[in-house]
């Protein structure tokens, strides 16, 4: 059972991603709980203020220390977090090994930045891990958090109906997944590779491995160079 708390100024952005398909099933089965928390609940004044201008000037607003610290500390009163994650383009780039590792933890707290990000002191004081989902800038951490939660959530044992299917995903062996086919065997003259129709599991396995190698070599040669 995994619990993921997410602090955000735009909780509505996270309504959709966890309400359908595999993430919904994970929650329905009691294997995953995702709770979003509106940072404005911890706003410092009547104006529901959670952000302010950056010291030193410059464009954009910065999420303030007090609301974030109060939110984190309140949540910590009922949950002990294995990781407090801040979603940020200057974090460590998210990949499958990170997803695998995170899926083995129990309680995660994810902080979504917005505007120019969060006050550095919150990062220094509370955050234990900083994650980027790629070298581009999103308008907030919410979509990035949704990506991370989805990638982790499907790895929790029991979430996928076919337990082995996560193991055959792309990237699990530093290899891309092979091509897949379903019926019909002949679509507009384009035929499914004969070997998949012959019913010899060993041959199918060898063929898939060959295809994985070939795909990785042509599309992502960089994956061979890793560890
Ligand atoms: N927030 C804004 N851009 C982001 C990114 N690329 N990854 C994670 N969080 C972000």
């Amino acid at each position: 059972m995994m619990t993921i708390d997410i602090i955000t100024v735009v909780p509505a952005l996270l309504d959709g991603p966890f309400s359908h398909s595999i993430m919904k099933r994970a929650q329905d089965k009691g294997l995953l709980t995702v709770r979003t928390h509106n940072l404005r609940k911890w706003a410092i004044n009547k104006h529901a203020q959670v952000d302010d201008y950056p010291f030193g000037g410059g464009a954009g607003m910065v999420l303030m220390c007090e609301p974030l610290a109060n939110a984190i500390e309140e949540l910590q009163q009922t949950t002990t977090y294995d990781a407090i994650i801040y979603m940020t383009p200057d974090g460590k780039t998210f990949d499958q090994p990170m997803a695998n590792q995170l899926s083995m933890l129990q309680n995660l707290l994810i902080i979504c930045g917005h505007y120019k990000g969060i006050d550095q002191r919150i990062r220094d004081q509370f955050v234990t891990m900083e994650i980027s989902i790629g070298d581009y800038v999103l308008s907030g951490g919410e979509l990035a958090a949704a990506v991370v939660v989805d990638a982790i959530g499907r790895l929790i044992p029991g979430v996928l109906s076919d337990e082995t299917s996560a193991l055959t995903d792309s990237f699990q062996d530093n290899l891309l997944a092979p091509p897949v086919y379903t019926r019909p065997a002949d679509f507009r003259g384009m035929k499914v590779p004969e070997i998949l129709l012959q019913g010899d599991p060993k041959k199918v396995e060898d063929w898939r491995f060959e295809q994985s190698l070939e795909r990785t070599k042509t599309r992502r040669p960089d994956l061979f160079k890793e560890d």
Side-chain angles (χ1 to χ4, degrees):
M1 171 62 185
M2 178 180 237
T3 299
I4 303 179
D5 286 310
I6 307 177
I7 298 174
T8 165
V9 284
V10 202
L13 277 176
L14 293 166
D15 284 349
F18 311 126
S19 310
H20 306 278
S21 183
I22 291 169
M23 290 304 105
K24 179 174 190 305
R25 200 192 319 149
Q27 293 175 91
D28 290 347
K29 281 187 178 174
L31 300 169
L32 172 68
T33 302
V34 182
R35 301 183 293 214
T36 55
H37 305 275
N38 191 337
L39 184 63
R40 288 195 199 280
K41 193 177 145 199
W42 291 275
I44 57 161
N45 55 30
K46 300 198 284 292
H47 310 291
Q49 187 180 359
V50 290
D51 58 359
D52 210 337
Y53 295 98
F55 277 126
M61 302 292 274
V62 177
L63 291 181
M64 307 166 78
C65 285
E66 290 100 322
L68 279 167
N70 290 337
I72 296 166
E73 283 169 348
E74 187 177 323
L75 294 171
Q76 278 177 324
Q77 284 182 3
T78 48
T79 309
T80 303
Y81 294 104
D82 300 307
I84 299 183
I85 300 167
Y86 173 47
M87 303 308 306
T88 174
D90 59 14
K92 185 164 188 273
T93 308
F94 191 59
D95 59 10
Q96 194 63 47
M98 270 167 98
N100 294 346
Q101 280 166 15
L102 288 169
S103 75
M104 292 188 272
L105 302 179
Q106 234 169 0
N107 299 313
L108 302 180
L109 176 58
I110 302 181
I111 302 166
C112 301
H114 226 80
Y115 322 114
K116 275 284 161 200
I118 67 174
D119 191 298
Q120 180 61 38
R121 290 166 290 185
I122 294 296
R123 297 171 70 165
D124 297 340
Q125 186 71 36
F126 293 100
V127 169
T128 62
M129 192 175 187
E130 301 190 323
I131 300 180
S132 163
I133 62 158
D135 288 345
Y136 40 82
V137 178
L138 303 165
S139 37
E142 288 77 10
L143 298 181
V147 166
V148 167
V149 172
D150 187 293
I152 296 171
R154 63 193 289 287
L155 296 174
I156 298 170
V159 168
L160 294 183
S161 40
D162 178 357
E163 286 275 356
T164 60
S165 88
L167 299 175
T168 59
D169 287 338
S170 281
F171 306 113
Q172 281 297 11
D173 305 314
N174 266 350
L175 286 178
L176 299 180
V180 292
Y181 298 88
T182 187
R183 290 183 291 178
D186 183 334
F187 173 64
R188 300 179 182 172
M190 293 179 279
K191 302 215 168 45
V192 169
E194 215 23 65
I195 215 151
L196 298 177
L197 308 175
Q198 286 164 356
D200 181 337
K202 176 76 179 94
K203 279 193 181 157
V204 169
E205 193 188 330
D206 289 347
W207 180 85
R208 286 189 171 145
F209 183 62
E210 283 298 313
Q211 293 287 316
S212 275
L213 285 177
E214 190 52 37
R215 266 205 172 170
T216 311
K217 206 157 61 184
T218 52
R219 294 174 186 220
R220 293 292 306 277
D222 57 298
L223 291 178
F224 285 127
K225 289 170 201 131
E226 278 177 24
D227 50 62

